[in-house]
Amino acid sequence: MPEVFNWQLGRKMDYPYAERHPRSQFAFVFNINRCIACQTCTMACKSTWTFSKGQEYMWWNNVETKPYGGYPQSWDVRLLGMLDETHRKTGRNAQWETGQRGAADRPYGVYEGMTIFEAARNSERRDQVAIGYEPTEQEWRSPNFYEDTATGSENVPEKLSMKPASLPAHATWFFYLQRLCNHCTYPACLSACPRGAIYKRPEDGIVLIDQSRCRGYRKCVGQCPYKKPMFRATTRVSEKCIACYPRIEGKDPLTEGEPMETRCMAACVGKIRLQGLVQIGEDGKWKEDRYNPLYYLIKVEKVALPLYPQFGTEPNGYYIPPRWVPRQYLHQMFGPGVDEAIEKYTYPSRELMAVLALFRASQKIVFRYEIIEGPKIFERTVNGKPWSIYNDTVVGYSKNGKEITRISVEEPKYVRPDKHYNSI
Ligand code: SF4
Ligand code: SF4
């Protein structure tokens, strides 16, 4: 089996196809700390792409409550269990070697365990390119199962704490996890398809299923670790998130020819989502693009982390982890970069404060930002160190270099005139 380099794991790994990379890659950052689980994103996607017969259960975008929720039910617990089982049987360890982390090609260290592709070679199911399973109909039945259901830190119901919560980790907790296809660098869905019906677009890395080639074997459903391809019984083929590609191509009538964010991103009420395109070199490395907001958040500030990097698909969705959740849980979900990411988010740098203001500031994709410095508006001491907020202004530019947004750290206040008092 060919070897490919996975920078999220800091090493080469087995993958059924040799490396070939797009010129740019669709990617996104979600700030979990801000999500209010309003499901506006979910409905924006559903009402655009999956409102027809046979698509009733298809939620290409979903927001689930962790730790108990999941769509399909227990998708991650089941796969983590299968990965664990393979490690146990082979006597291997799924640890991260974090001693030399920080370099561009191993920012989180080196993952020493097996990915889903490597585990498949060590499992009894030799017919699979990646370990996985096809969910039952029961498991697809409730997209928001266990909504808002909390757990105690030791998973014992009587230990749920009613005491006031305090950071760093709450004794009783839950959080919302926003999910869609990660348009992975090494997609398991693509490698599993016996028809060659799944492809990754060279211009933007979006992963699509060719509906005319698909014969509904559902190998992609079984082997995508994130369970994002879904089978449509009325047409007998599989479907998945298409990253709203007409918008990315600048073909939406509202877009004036500029690339636009997807429907789920643009609709986000909590302003937790920022989506864009990052530039990829022929060697698969992200080209240095210091003032692309995604490059800054993921590669420079390292405040946003991939979801379950140990699966090995190099997902292109990144998350700012929730501050109040026990670290052990977060380490399993986002890898060893969690502590640094939370530290950076808790006491944000001047630049990070400004870039966070770009989330949902424009429907057009921000390709570059610049910061105009403003006055200091707040200061305090945190952990014995001085920390300040500045009212800087961040300006976002489109692909063609046009200014598309300008927003300051301190949001302007609007006072409603007296005549509207109690008018509704
Ligand atoms: S998340 Fe799943 S469906 Fe999407 S590209 Fe990755 S493997 Fe394929
Ligand atoms: S629209 Fe935004 S805030 Fe609302 S559920 Fe979706 S991600 Fe969360």
Side-chain angles (χ1 to χ4, degrees):
M1 196 180 271
E3 281 197 322
V4 295
F5 188 79
N6 182 326
W7 68 265
Q8 295 175 355
L9 304 182
R11 67 169 173 85
K12 288 188 167 178
M13 61 163 209
D14 296 340
Y15 184 67
Y17 294 105
E19 285 200 38
R20 207 171 59 184
H21 297 284
R23 296 187 290 280
S24 71
Q25 176 62 55
F26 172 94
F28 54 87
V29 169
F30 290 168
N31 182 355
I32 292 179
N33 296 273
R34 282 185 180 173
C35 180
I36 54 173
C38 60
Q39 305 285 0
T40 313
C41 50
T42 309
M43 293 315 299
C45 176
K46 184 122 197 94
S47 60
T48 308
W49 301 115
T50 62
F51 53 81
S52 300
K53 210 168 177 183
Q55 295 180 307
E56 291 81 359
Y57 84 106
M58 281 191 194
W59 300 93
W60 291 352
N61 178 100
N62 76 291
V63 178
E64 57 203 41
T65 300
K66 289 297 184 202
Y68 296 128
Y71 186 70
Q73 205 177 323
S74 309
W75 63 274
D76 50 351
V77 179
R78 284 195 62 179
L79 192 60
L80 288 166
M82 292 170 79
L83 208 47
D84 259 4
E85 180 69 12
T86 318
H87 280 108
R88 216 174 10 254
K89 279 190 181 154
T90 52
R92 287 192 47 184
N93 203 332
Q95 295 300 309
W96 289 80
E97 200 280 293
T98 55
Q100 298 171 50
R101 75 173 155 194
D105 56 358
R106 49 173 191 283
Y108 319 125
V110 180
Y111 175 63
E112 293 180 334
M114 284 182 277
T115 65
I116 56 170
F117 304 107
E118 292 158 349
R121 300 178 68 188
N122 289 288
S123 77
E124 285 132 29
R125 293 286 310 272
R126 293 293 167 87
D127 57 322
Q128 296 188 332
V129 297
I131 55 163
Y133 70 97
E134 204 182 310
T136 61
E137 284 185 16
Q138 284 258 312
E139 288 167 331
W140 287 114
R141 79 201 139 151
S142 308
N144 208 357
F145 211 52
Y146 282 111
E147 184 184 20
D148 289 355
T149 304
T151 183
S153 56
E154 291 168 54
N155 285 334
V156 182
E158 57 269 27
K159 292 210 171 163
L160 292 182
S161 166
M162 294 298 139
K163 288 187 190 148
S166 65
L167 291 168
H170 294 181
T172 297
W173 57 275
F174 69 85
F175 68 95
Y176 304 121
L177 186 69
Q178 313 72 28
R179 300 210 308 113
L180 62 139
C181 167
N182 292 292
H183 297 277
C184 304
T185 303
Y186 304 116
C189 59
L190 182 154
S191 66
C193 179
R195 293 275 306 160
I198 305 185
Y199 61 103
K200 192 165 172 67
R201 304 206 314 178
E203 62 270 41
D204 49 24
I206 291 173
V207 176
L208 296 175
I209 302 177
D210 180 338
Q211 300 286 286
S212 63
R213 284 200 64 78
C214 177
R215 290 287 178 275
Y217 300 145
R218 284 168 262 185
K219 297 287 181 194
C220 54
V221 181
Q223 288 171 60
C224 164
Y226 303 96
K227 294 287 164 264
K228 280 299 173 186
M230 295 162 197
F231 177 69
R232 183 167 176 179
T234 48
T235 55
R236 313 287 309 160
V237 292
S238 299
E239 297 180 2
K240 64 177 282 303
C241 161
I242 60 168
C244 296
Y245 67 79
R247 288 168 70 102
I248 305 291
E249 290 169 358
K251 294 200 178 126
D252 189 283
L254 284 176
T255 200
E256 299 160 332
E258 296 278 10
M260 205 177 198
E261 292 196 350
T262 64
R263 288 279 289 129
C264 61
M265 311 285 170
C268 176
V269 172
K271 299 189 177 187
I272 84 145
R273 296 176 172 230
L274 187 72
Q275 180 238 307
L277 291 159
V278 293
Q279 304 306 310
I280 307 291
E282 277 177 21
D283 55 2
K285 291 188 179 150
W286 289 26
K287 285 190 192 161
E288 165 135 23
D289 193 4
R290 176 65 180 74
Y291 293 99
N292 176 320
L294 295 186
Y295 186 92
Y296 168 72
L297 292 165
I298 297 159
K299 292 284 194 173
V300 179
E301 200 71 4
K302 299 192 192 102
V303 73
L305 304 168
L307 177 64
Y308 292 121
Q310 66 269 41
F311 290 166
T313 63
E314 208 185 280
N316 288 297
Y318 294 84
Y319 295 79
I320 302 180
R323 291 172 60 195
W324 60 92
V325 172
R327 294 295 166 90
Q328 216 185 350
Y329 188 90
L330 295 178
H331 288 152
Q332 182 180 40
M333 186 169 265
F334 301 112
V338 162
D339 300 302
E340 185 184 346
I342 292 184
E343 180 74 15
K344 294 261 179 77
Y345 183 69
T346 306
Y347 310 114
S349 65
R350 188 169 178 173
E351 186 168 359
L352 179 56
M353 279 298 275
V355 172
L356 287 173
L358 282 176
F359 283 61
R360 302 280 23 88
S362 167
Q363 290 213 45
K364 290 177 187 155
I365 291 180
V366 177
F367 282 76
R368 183 173 64 83
Y369 67 89
E370 71 180 350
I371 295 171
I372 302 165
E373 293 195 347
K376 189 190 283 188
I377 50 171
F378 179 80
E379 64 184 341
R380 66 181 286 192
T381 304
V382 178
N383 291 345
K385 290 188 218 147
W387 179 70
S388 310
I389 299 181
Y390 295 83
N391 192 20
D392 294 337
T393 299
V394 60
V395 186
Y397 296 93
S398 70
K399 185 176 185 188
N400 296 327
K402 282 195 215 141
E403 180 178 324
I404 48 173
T405 185
R406 178 176 286 254
I407 187 162
S408 55
V409 167
E410 189 173 40
E411 289 190 24
K413 287 190 197 101
Y414 297 102
V415 180
R416 186 187 282 195
D418 284 353
K419 66 175 180 172
H420 294 305
Y421 183 65
N422 263 353
S423 63
I424 47 171

